């Protein structure tokens, strides 16, 4: 038996008037998912424990079978694992976003508005130039910067203290003053980064091209060095991770899973969906893995952008360009398989940020009928009455046959 999790990050949502009162998941044309749901089990799972912040970090840990209340030590340390950052026990890792702030002349930094947490999903190459621009000013024995992917980078603070700083995607469209770090040095670096980056030649060119400037750093997601138990020892399964996002790669590194790089995987709407499906098929059918985890970031990014149309597109791409080809490859191979499809958390268009509500899941088994033909969407999942209170046990349900 082979096992697959296909995770559409932030895919769950709320009913939207523009979609006739349907959610993007219910509105999207998903013939492959609809087919699997005819014989699959549909239900709800609580991936965010009560009292924890609804992040992709805690939620994806839970989906992979790690109790967030036991294993979570911060988001950025997991991302640091993925890019090979040598953390010490006394280090603090912080996510370092390259964000877009309003750039009116003469406005104090604290009175600026955050426009875009991703600077139009800036490329890694462009972001690296901007990180290089701040390094000579900020780096020393205490503070070290590491380039990650797209707008997602890492700051290591030697001997630092964990700070609770608001994620930039939670305050889009708001004035930033009330959300700046309490630590004066972190705050000063963020403020000075605007002075360095706003008129950087790369940002001048981006503005002329109609793109958002990446004109400030934003620190958040602080935490200490993580310690995950081995996925193989915990489950008895050899697993592979396919994701464009450093967070997911870092979880996989910490869990001792294989991390597969897919050319053209960006974490955005234009990611290489087919490449992810092909990588999973190869991992399972040729490379001896028992389990593959395919993470697709696009629905979450479209939720943060507030784009109804593109969130629907992302879900349809997930269905037709990831799930369909992977299903076809596994079926053609003659291998028995079980496939779990779900989001990690909702990212409602209305809010443009995460919430901790339970998420709908679909479990398909190529050898058995598991359900009663329910549709796969939020309302249908709730109506089935199937509910997994401890989300980190859902993977045990996947592996039980």
């Amino acid at each position: 038996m082979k096992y697959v999790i296909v995770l559409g990050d932030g895919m769950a949502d709320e009913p939207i008037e523009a979609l006739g009162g349907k959610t993007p998941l219910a509105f999207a044309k998903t013939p492959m998912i609809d087919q699997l749901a005819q014989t699959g089990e549909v239900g709800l799972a609580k991936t965010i424990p009560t009292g924890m912040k609804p992040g992709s970090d805690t939620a994806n840990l839970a989906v992979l079978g790690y109790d967030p209340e036991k294993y979570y030590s911060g988001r950025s340390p997991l991302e640091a694992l993925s890019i090979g950052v040598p953390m010490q026990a006394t280090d603090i890792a912080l996510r370092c976003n390259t964000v877009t702030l309003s750039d009116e002349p003469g406005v104090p930094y604290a009175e600026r508005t955050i426009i875009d947490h991703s600077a139009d999903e800036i490329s890694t190459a462009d972001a690296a130039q901007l990180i290089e621009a701040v390094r000579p000013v900020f780096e020393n024995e205490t503070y070290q910067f590491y380039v990650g992917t797209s707008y997602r980078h890492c700051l290591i603070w030697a001997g630092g203290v964990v700070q609770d700083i608001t994620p930039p995607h939670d305050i889009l469209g708001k004035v930033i003053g009330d959300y700046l770090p309490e630590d004066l040095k972190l705050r000063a670096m963020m403020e000075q980064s605007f002075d360095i980056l706003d008129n950087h030649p790369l940002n001048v060119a981006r503005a002329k091209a109609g793109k958002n400037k990446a004109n400030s750093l934003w620190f958040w997601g602080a935490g200490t060095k993580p310690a995950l138990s081995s996925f193989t020892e915990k489950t008895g399964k050899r697993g592979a991770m396919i994701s464009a996002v450093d967070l997911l790669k870092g979880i996989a590194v910490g869990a001792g899973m294989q991390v597969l790089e897919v050319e053209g995987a960006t974490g955005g709407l234009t990611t290489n969906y087919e490449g992810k499906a092909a990588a999973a098929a190869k991992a399972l059918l040729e490379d001896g893995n028992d389990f593959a985890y395919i993470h697709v970031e696009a629905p979450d990014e479209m939720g943060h952008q507030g784009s109804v149309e593109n969130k629907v597109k992302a879900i349809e791409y997930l269905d037709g360009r990831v799930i369909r080809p992977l299903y076809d490859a596994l079926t053609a191979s003659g291998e028995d398989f079980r496939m779990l499809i779900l989001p990690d958390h909702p990212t409602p268009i209305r809010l443009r940020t995460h919430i901790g509500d339970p998420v709908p899941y679909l479990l398909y088994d190529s050898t058995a009928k598991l359900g009663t033909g329910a549709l796969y969407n939020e309302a249908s999942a709730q109506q089935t009455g199937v509910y997994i209170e401890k989300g980190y046990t859902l993977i045990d349900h996947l592996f039980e046959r």
Side-chain angles (χ1 to χ4, degrees), residues 144-302:
Q144 294 286 320
F145 288 86
Y146 295 86
V147 173
T149 302
S150 183
Y151 61 89
R152 313 172 190 93
H153 308 283
C154 180
L155 171 67
I156 296 296
W157 179 10
V161 178
V162 172
Q163 307 281 307
D164 185 13
I165 308 171
T166 303
H169 53 258
D170 281 359
I171 53 172
L172 295 171
K174 295 184 178 181
V175 174
I176 64 175
D178 291 341
Y179 306 100
L180 295 173
E182 291 183 6
D183 182 84
L184 295 180
K185 178 60 177 178
L186 294 180
R187 182 173 179 145
M189 283 196 287
M190 286 170 58
E191 184 168 350
Q192 193 173 356
S193 75
F194 181 87
D195 297 333
I196 297 168
L197 298 179
D198 189 52
N199 290 309
H200 187 282
L202 186 143
N203 275 324
V204 172
R206 287 179 66 84
K208 286 181 179 179
K211 297 180 180 180
N212 284 336
K213 296 179 181 179
N215 59 4
S216 182
L217 303 183
W218 190 281
F219 305 127
W220 64 285
T224 55
K225 186 176 181 179
L228 299 180
S229 58
S230 163
F231 181 82
T232 299
E233 291 178 7
K234 186 167 70 75
T235 64
K237 305 290 188 293
R238 183 182 173 199
M241 172 65 71
I242 300 114
S243 176
V245 176
D246 287 336
L247 169 64
L248 275 294
K249 295 177 185 178
I251 293 173
V253 170
M257 296 171 63
Q258 183 181 12
V259 176
L260 302 179
E261 300 291 342
V262 175
E263 185 176 357
T266 62
L269 186 63
T270 59
T271 195
N272 183 359
Y273 299 91
E274 292 85 356
K276 290 188 173 189
K282 183 177 184 296
L284 293 167
L285 300 176
E286 299 178 28
D287 297 343
N289 287 287
D290 308 297
F291 167 69
Y293 193 108
I294 307 175
H295 172 265
V296 176
E297 177 75 359
D300 185 61
E301 287 296 328
M302 299 309 103

Side-chain angles (χ1 to χ4, degrees), residues 33-34 37-38 42 373-381 384:
I33 288 175
D34 294 345
Q38 288 305 301
V42 174
L375 296 173
Y376 177 61
N377 58 57
E378 297 88 347
S380 178
T384 66

